[in-house]
Amino acid sequence: MAGFRVGIGHDTHRLVEDRPLILAGVRIPHPRGLAGHSDADVVLHAVADALLGASALGDIGEIFPDTDERNRGLDGGVLLTDVLERVAAAGWKPVNCDVIVHAQEPKLSPAKDAMKRNLARLLGIDPAAVNIKAKTGEKVGAIGRAEAISCQAVVLVETIDLSGRD
Ligand code: CDP
Ligand code: ZN
């Protein structure tokens, strides 16, 4: 019997000098980037947490601790692919994904389409089932002062249909 679950994810990284800005696996031209033990891709981290949430599998900090040297510079795409394997082993696959990136800078509209296509590719779903929204912080708070970028993600998963398999 088909079943559905929903999951929510959130992530924040500080915006600093001398780091590349990578969002949804896309390198975005900007003088500053996100600090972190990993590649600090807030979008892929939030989406991975949403998938783990939907599958009741915990959070990415439990699977990829930032105290583990093996996770230094960890590519968000590698992290998300690992999470998707765990989600599939638990019997779930993604249906759609909605994302809000909270960033005062840079303007993300030119990159949104590439972000959406890359996120869809990683999730193995149609780009029409992925949505990227961007919001400034209206110059208020840490986001508004461009001290950090945050991301929220919601993912729907459905049970993997095993009826067609041997
Ligand atoms: O207009 P509203 O207050 O809802 O949102 P906003 O935060 O002022 O953002 C206005 C528009 O800029 C939206 O269409 C966002 O998609 C876009 N935006 C962007 O392209 N890049 C950002 N870093 C933030 C917002
Ligand atoms: Zn993160």
Side-chain angles (χ1 to χ4, degrees), residues 9-32:
H10 181 269
D11 196 25
T12 300
H13 284 268
R14 283 184 303 113
L15 199 49
V16 297
E17 307 287 333
D18 300 322
R19 285 274 294 184
L21 179 60
I22 300 165
L23 295 174
V26 175
R27 174 78 188 260
I28 299 181
H30 192 54
R32 300 202 294 157

Side-chain angles (χ1 to χ4, degrees), residues 11-13 38 40-42 45 60:
D11 196 25
T12 300
H13 284 268
S38 67
D41 188 328
V42 284
H45 292 182
I60 54 170

Side-chain angles (χ1 to χ4, degrees), residues 77-137:
V78 170
L79 178 149
L80 182 57
T81 301
D82 181 297
V83 163
L84 280 162
E85 283 166 11
R86 292 166 191 262
V87 167
W92 301 100
K93 65 174 183 182
V95 176
N96 79 304
C97 178
D98 190 16
V99 166
I100 308 172
V101 184
H102 299 271
Q104 189 65 40
E105 62 181 50
K107 189 83 179 164
L108 292 175
S109 35
K112 271 193 201 163
D113 192 52
M115 290 165 61
K116 172 189 172 119
R117 280 187 283 106
N118 196 48
L119 182 51
R121 180 186 65 80
L122 288 165
L123 291 172
I125 61 179
D126 197 296
V130 174
N131 192 69
I132 308 273
K133 302 191 292 298
K135 304 293 285 185
T136 67

Side-chain angles (χ1 to χ4, degrees), residues 113-165:
D113 192 52
M115 290 165 61
K116 172 189 172 119
R117 280 187 283 106
N118 196 48
L119 182 51
R121 180 186 65 80
L122 288 165
L123 291 172
I125 61 179
D126 197 296
V130 174
N131 192 69
I132 308 273
K133 302 191 292 298
K135 304 293 285 185
T136 67
E138 295 286 349
K139 303 202 170 161
V140 174
I143 299 293
R145 291 189 297 269
E147 292 169 4
I149 290 179
S150 291
C151 181
Q152 289 164 289
V154 173
V155 170
L156 184 73
V157 297
E158 68 178 333
T159 45
I160 294 170
D161 180 8
L162 299 171
S163 59
R165 301 189 188 173

